[in-house]
């Protein structure tokens, strides 16, 4: 399952801190307590942190397990341990109807400790036990080597206990279960990377100035009485991610993001809830759009919401349609991208839509698809899915997934599959989750392009050929949902926000509401006829089994010969009964 939104659920950029419950490790499974001296006051926090990670990891590898000591109850020694630490600072503020509702700062430092027992061919993560390798714990925020080391020690011991329990279950299950369809190893062998970049600088925020800006933006909605909810949220964070492993990997990478999100909600007279979201993203606060542009786009969004209230509800439709560049980007992310993630090609529960179609055409020959997290911007627009190293310490790299319509590979973490035994730098996760193969910057290119005007005429011609009075144009999208498991229908749903009927008889386009795009992947992908000659960007937050991570998708607008829609839920609540208070009423004490 995946949900793609342009408004992230947390302040951290690459990984969000999750809650955790800490319990004591089982007796007899602990390494000796650390006796690391405190670092000098002059040491840099990142140097102290990496140093503590290095020393504690090496000590855990030496002391955990007893199989080599002649013990009466030998315990296996780990063959792999890694520490992934997310150190993030951020600020957030929100405004509503011209007033500040919250303004906060945060500093979080969290460790994900991964312990593997057995061998890469088969370990405690096998099958349904993948999460058994991971233990998460908050770390001290200060430059205190001893405190950091003791926290890592405690998390590692707890993780070893969990891993041992799972490893014993894996070995028992293998004796009673049928042979697996994909007998690939549980962990790939990779070359360890070493690159310690300087820590990310702290967020610099002119608090009063930005509070004034978001108050002004949110104040736009006061002139629209039917918009009963709005929020303008500013988020800026600075994060450094550290990764060390028993294989010798040692990586530190900084990242920054600034995001302004504008949300408005209204309700039609028939009870249908309607909303719009505008997101502006940059690598730092100073690179967000100027205030004039933000005000203009917010005003246009509010006017569109008012128009949507009066728009007719569309009926279910199966006919030609154009998806705008952003809508097309979400479509490819949901319909195609998730099904090309490596772990979806193995396991009894996965639908494996494209597993057996390697080196075969799955798209029209004029389309190619790559995922390239090394790209930071596209034509000046920052890409949320950019990263230098994935969450398994592997260098990010461009992966050509589909060339001229032919499927060539999958997005790989360090979980091998039958066709591919190594990572290609796409093992990603939110804090507290095991990394899996995930999208970064999914980029769609086309060799069969026409202008926007030509694409529109092609839509009308296709509608006429199908005896349809109109085709649909999907201008803006909020989110999407994909089902990839075997026990459920292999279907997808994409939720548009702004949809127009494009009439073949020359009537003006008509704004409509209440429509969702639905379908099955192979059928939908085979219906693409052509694309326009420019690509657009969609930045968002994607949720799946390894958590919520930032992603981007880049695609041109595309014409589809047939697309199926269904009506959204109608809703039964009435719009607000009493009109909102006016400034004059407030001045008179509500009379």
């Amino acid at each position: 399952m995946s949900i793609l939104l342009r408004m992230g659920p947390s302040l951290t950029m690459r990984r969000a801190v999750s809650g955790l419950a800490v319990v004591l490790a089982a007796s007899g499974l602990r390494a000796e307590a650390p006796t690391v001296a405190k670092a000098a006051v002059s040491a840099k926090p990142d140097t102290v942190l990496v140093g503590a990670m290095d020393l504690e990891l090496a000590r855990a590898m030496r002391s955990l397990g007893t199989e080599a000591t002649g013990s009466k109850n030998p315990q296996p020694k780990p063959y792999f341990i890694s520490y992934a630490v997310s150190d993030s600072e951020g600020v957030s503020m929100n405004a509503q109807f011209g007033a500040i509702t919250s303004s906060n700062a945060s500093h979080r430092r969290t460790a994900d400790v991964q312990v593997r027992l057995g061998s890469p061919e088969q370990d405690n993560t096998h099958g349904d036990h993948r999460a058994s390798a991971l233990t998460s714990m908050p770390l001290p925020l200060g430059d205190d080597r001893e405190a950091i080391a003791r926290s890592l020690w405690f998390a590692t011991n707890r993780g070893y206990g969990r891993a041992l329990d799972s490893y014993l279950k894996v070995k028992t299950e293998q004796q009673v279960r049928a042979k697996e369809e994909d007998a690939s190893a549980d962990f790939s062998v990779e070359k360890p990377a070493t690159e310690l970049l300087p820590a990310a600088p702290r967020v610099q925020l002119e608090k009063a100035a930005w509070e004034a800006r978001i108050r002004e933006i949110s104040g736009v909605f006061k002139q629209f009485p039917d918009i009963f909810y709005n929020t303008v949220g500013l988020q800026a964070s600075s994060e450094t991610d550290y990764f060390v492993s028993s294989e010798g990997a040692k990586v530190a990478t900084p990242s920054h993001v600034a995001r302004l999100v504008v949300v408005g909600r209204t309700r039609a007279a028939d009870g249908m809830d309607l909303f719009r979201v505008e997101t502006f993203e940059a690598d730092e606060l100073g690179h967000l759009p100027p205030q004039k542009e933000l005000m203009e786009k917010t005003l246009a969004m509010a006017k569109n919401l008012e128009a949507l209230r009066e728009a007719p509800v569309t009926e279910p439709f199966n006919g030609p349609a154009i998806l705008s560049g952003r809508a097309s980007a979400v479509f490819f992310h949901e319909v195609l991208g998730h099904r090309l993630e490596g772990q979806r090609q193995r396991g009894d529960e996965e639908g494996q839509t494209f597993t057996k179609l390697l080196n075969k055409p799955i798209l029209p020959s004029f389309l190619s698809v790559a995922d390239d997290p090394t790209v930071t911007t596209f034509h000046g627009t920052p890409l949320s899915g950019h990263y230098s190293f994935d969450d398994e310490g592997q260098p990010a790299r461009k992966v050509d997934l589909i060339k001229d319509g032919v499927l060539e590979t999958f997005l790989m973490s360090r979980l091998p599959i039958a066709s591919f035994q190594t990572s290609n730098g796409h093992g990603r996760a939110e804090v507290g989750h095991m990394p899996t193969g995930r999208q970064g910057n999914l980029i769609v290119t086309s060799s069969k392009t026409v202008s926007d005007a030509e694409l529109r005429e092609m839509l009308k011609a296709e509608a006429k050929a199908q005896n349809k009075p109109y085709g649909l144009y999907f201008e803006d999208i909020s989110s999407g949902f994909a089902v990839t498991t075997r026990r459920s229908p292999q279907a997808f749903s994409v939720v548009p926000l702004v949809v127009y009927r494009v009439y073949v008889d020359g009537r003006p386009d008509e704004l409509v509401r209440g429509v969702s795009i639905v379908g099955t992947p192979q059928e939908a992908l085979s219906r693409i006829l052509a694309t326009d000659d420019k690509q657009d960007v969609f930045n968002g937050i994607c949720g799946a089994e390894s958590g919520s991570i930032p992603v981007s998708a880049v695609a041109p607008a595309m014409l589809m010969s047939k697309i199926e829609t269904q009506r959204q839920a109608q809703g039964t609540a009435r719009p607000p009964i009493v009109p909102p208070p006016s400034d004059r009423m407030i001045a008179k004490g509500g009379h």
Side-chain angles (χ1 to χ4, degrees):
M1 181 180 72
S2 169
I3 298 174
L4 183 68
L5 301 173
R6 279 174 291 152
M7 182 173 62
S10 69
L11 185 60
T12 53
M13 290 176 297
R14 203 160 61 85
R15 310 208 285 174
V17 177
S18 64
L20 63 103
V22 179
V23 298
L24 291 174
S27 177
L29 303 180
R30 305 179 198 165
E32 72 261 24
T35 56
V36 183
K38 290 184 179 180
V41 175
S42 60
K44 295 181 179 180
D46 55 318
T47 304
V48 171
L49 177 59
V50 174
M53 293 165 69
D54 257 343
L55 290 174
E56 197 52 37
L57 186 146
R59 200 170 60 84
M61 288 294 292
R62 287 196 312 270
S63 58
L64 283 171
T66 58
E67 60 185 4
T69 65
S71 170
K72 292 181 180 179
N73 297 302
Q75 305 290 359
K77 296 185 73 64
Y79 78 87
F80 175 87
I81 297 178
S82 68
Y83 293 156
V85 174
S86 169
D87 192 351
S88 65
E89 291 185 347
V91 295
S92 66
M93 56 180 65
N94 291 275
Q96 182 175 309
F97 292 116
I100 297 296
T101 57
S102 67
S103 185
N104 303 295
S106 65
H107 183 193
R108 294 167 175 167
R109 182 184 283 175
T110 305
D112 279 347
V113 177
Q114 191 175 141
V115 180
R116 289 178 178 262
L117 306 178
S119 68
E121 288 70 36
Q122 186 177 95
D123 63 24
N124 53 287
T125 70
H126 191 78
D128 296 334
H129 301 281
R130 184 162 172 78
S132 70
L134 192 69
T135 300
S136 298
M137 175 175 281
L139 293 185
L141 300 178
D143 186 11
D144 188 326
R145 185 187 294 256
E146 185 175 10
I148 293 169
R150 287 192 70 101
S151 296
L152 291 170
W153 161 75
F154 185 71
T156 307
N157 277 276
R158 177 176 180 254
Y160 180 85
R162 293 184 62 197
L164 180 60
D165 180 63
S166 180
Y167 185 50
L168 295 176
K169 290 179 181 178
V170 167
K171 292 200 294 184
T172 301
E173 290 169 357
Q174 292 303 106
Q175 297 175 16
V176 298
R177 288 190 174 180
K179 183 180 179 181
E180 295 172 309
E181 184 179 1
D182 187 339
S184 298
D186 290 330
F187 201 48
S188 65
V189 177
E190 307 288 350
K191 180 181 178 181
T194 302
E195 185 168 357
L196 294 174
L197 299 175
R202 302 188 67 175
V203 175
Q204 300 295 321
L205 175 75
E206 295 179 6
K207 184 177 179 180
W210 272 106
E211 286 184 348
R213 288 186 66 176
I214 67 172
R215 280 200 306 267
E216 184 183 24
I217 296 168
S218 67
V220 168
F221 293 98
K222 290 195 291 185
Q223 59 185 292
F224 296 91
D226 293 316
I227 297 178
F228 59 79
Y229 172 84
N230 78 87
T231 184
V232 178
L234 177 71
Q235 303 171 345
S237 60
S238 179
E239 182 173 334
T240 306
D241 294 299
Y242 302 90
F243 182 89
V244 299
S245 77
S246 56
E247 296 173 325
K250 188 183 297 184
V251 174
T253 53
S255 51
H256 319 260
V257 73
R259 182 182 295 120
L260 186 84
V261 182
V262 184
V263 182
R265 284 184 58 197
T266 188
R267 183 174 293 143
D270 58 14
M272 182 175 288
D273 282 316
L274 303 163
F275 75 96
R276 290 291 313 274
V277 181
E278 286 284 356
T279 299
F280 309 90
E281 190 163 313
D283 55 352
E284 60 180 68
L285 284 165
H287 293 163
L288 286 170
Q291 188 74 353
K292 183 175 183 292
E293 179 181 339
L294 296 175
M295 293 288 289
E296 289 172 349
K297 291 194 173 182
T298 300
L299 181 61
M301 185 183 85
K303 289 179 177 179
N304 180 256
L305 270 174
E306 291 276 276
L308 279 171
R309 293 187 72 252
E310 306 302 325
V313 178
T314 188
E315 296 301 319
F317 178 79
N318 187 13
I322 291 176
L323 300 182
S324 72
R326 291 202 302 181
S328 177
V330 176
F331 177 88
F332 275 101
H333 173 95
E334 294 296 349
V335 179
L336 180 68
H338 277 296
R339 290 172 173 80
L340 299 186
E341 293 165 345
Q343 72 278 3
R344 310 208 186 283
Q345 320 311 317
R346 67 180 282 184
D348 296 337
E349 295 298 318
E350 287 295 340
Q352 301 180 9
T353 309
F354 298 115
T355 304
K356 305 298 184 183
L357 296 179
L358 200 61
N359 300 316
K360 295 180 181 180
I362 64 170
L363 284 177
S365 60
F366 58 85
L367 291 173
S368 296
V369 182
D371 194 284
D372 190 356
T374 67
V375 179
T376 58
T377 62
F378 184 83
H379 294 169
T381 301
L383 297 181
S384 296
H386 161 71
Y387 56 90
S388 300
F389 288 85
D390 71 9
D391 293 307
E392 296 179 307
Q394 294 298 301
R397 67 200 78 169
K398 180 183 178 182
V399 176
D400 291 312
L401 295 164
I402 298 170
K403 280 189 176 181
D404 301 325
V406 177
L407 176 62
E408 295 202 340
T409 188
F410 300 102
L411 297 170
M412 297 298 298
S413 65
R414 294 189 67 174
L415 177 66
I417 60 176
S419 305
F420 301 96
Q421 300 301 306
T422 57
S423 169
N424 54 27
H426 281 76
R428 306 187 66 201
E430 180 185 359
V431 162
H433 296 73
M434 281 289 286
T436 59
R438 299 287 296 274
Q439 299 169 71
N441 295 325
L442 192 74
I443 301 174
V444 181
T445 55
S446 172
S447 60
K448 186 179 180 179
T449 63
V450 297
S451 68
D452 285 342
E454 290 173 305
L455 200 67
R456 181 182 173 87
E457 292 305 311
M458 291 174 69
L459 170 66
K460 291 181 178 180
E462 188 66 27
K464 284 183 180 179
Q466 297 181 30
N467 294 316
K468 303 284 185 183
Y470 58 83
L472 294 180
Y473 175 68
F474 296 90
E475 180 178 280
D476 196 17
I477 292 286
S478 74
S479 62
F481 181 89
V483 178
T484 63
T485 55
R486 189 174 299 184
R487 294 172 187 254
S488 301
Q490 294 300 291
F492 68 87
S493 177
V494 175
V495 182
L497 295 177
V498 182
V499 184
Y500 292 92
R501 289 173 178 162
V502 180
Y503 288 96
V504 299
D505 60 8
R507 277 180 285 168
D509 294 354
E510 182 183 26
L511 181 68
V512 294
R513 59 184 170 90
V515 59
S516 295
I517 302 172
V518 294
T520 54
Q522 296 193 52
E523 172 69 14
L525 293 170
S526 69
R527 298 292 188 177
I528 304 172
L529 299 179
T531 71
D532 76 2
D533 51 9
K534 58 180 180 295
Q535 295 157 287
D536 205 351
V537 175
F538 190 101
N539 287 318
I541 303 292
C542 175
E545 65 270 51
S546 65
S548 297
I549 59 173
V551 295
S552 297
V554 180
M558 62 181 181
L559 170 64
M560 303 183 69
S561 61
K562 282 194 176 180
I563 202 163
E564 185 176 354
T565 70
Q566 66 182 23
R567 287 184 62 168
Q568 294 179 18
Q570 182 72 35
T572 58
R574 292 178 59 183
I577 299 172
V578 178
S582 66
D583 291 342
R584 181 178 297 177
M585 290 171 59
I586 295 171
K588 292 183 177 181
H591 298 290

